[in-house]
Amino acid sequence: QVQLVESGGGSVQAGGSLRLSCVVSGYTDNKYYMGWFRQAPGKEREGVAALGRDNTTWYVDSVKGRFTISKDNAKNTLYLQMNALKPEDTAMYYCAAQRDYLLWSLEAWRYKHWGQGTQVTVSS
């Protein structure tokens, strides 16, 4: 049973930074790809960043150059470093993991395993 637990959310002013963490347990192997998603009230869940099974990284255009996804295998932890935050980044952020034939994905429907979410609020 794969379990993911996020932390690191909070409230910051525009231009500030936050680092989200996602501790992962229950892996059977390293053949998972992982992602960070966010969902604002009244909006669909959006893929923000993905870490492929080949360790490639992918980002939605709105966060390119500001967000960085990474993983510490020794700590079984996925990170999302968020810099230059904007009010439009305000959302609940979720990490997710999936094991299938794909190398990576930013499509929420493809992911089976999800964390509980951590709130990020950016004020102007």
Side-chain angles (χ1 to χ4, degrees):
Q1 180 78 11
V2 177
Q3 293 184 321
L4 303 96
V5 179
E6 303 99 333
S7 62
S11 296
V12 296
Q13 290 190 327
S17 297
L18 284 173
R19 188 177 77 160
L20 305 184
S21 299
C22 173
V23 178
V24 187
S25 61
Y27 273 150
T28 57
D29 53 39
N30 290 323
K31 296 181 180 178
Y32 287 80
Y33 55 89
M34 301 191 69
W36 284 99
F37 295 81
R38 65 187 179 189
Q39 188 167 19
K43 295 189 177 181
E44 293 186 357
R45 192 166 295 191
E46 173 190 37
V48 174
L51 179 65
R53 292 193 284 116
D54 57 355
N55 290 320
T56 54
T57 57
W58 306 86
Y59 301 92
V60 69
D61 285 347
S62 60
V63 307
K64 285 180 180 177
R66 301 188 297 122
F67 290 12
T68 303
I69 187 172
S70 63
K71 189 170 184 280
D72 185 331
N73 289 320
K75 296 182 178 180
N76 290 327
T77 301
L78 182 74
Y79 299 102
L80 184 68
Q81 178 66 44
M82 305 186 295
N83 299 328
L85 282 161
K86 303 176 181 180
E88 51 263 44
D89 294 319
T90 295
M92 184 71 78
Y93 282 71
Y94 301 87
C95 65
Q98 177 61 13
R99 183 181 187 275
D100 60 28
Y101 66 95
L102 295 177
L103 283 178
W104 65 277
S105 178
L106 277 172
E107 296 178 299
W109 66 271
R110 292 191 179 275
Y111 284 79
K112 177 180 179 180
H113 308 286
W114 290 86
Q116 82 288 350
T118 186
Q119 178 68 38
V120 172
T121 303
V122 184
S123 58
S124 57

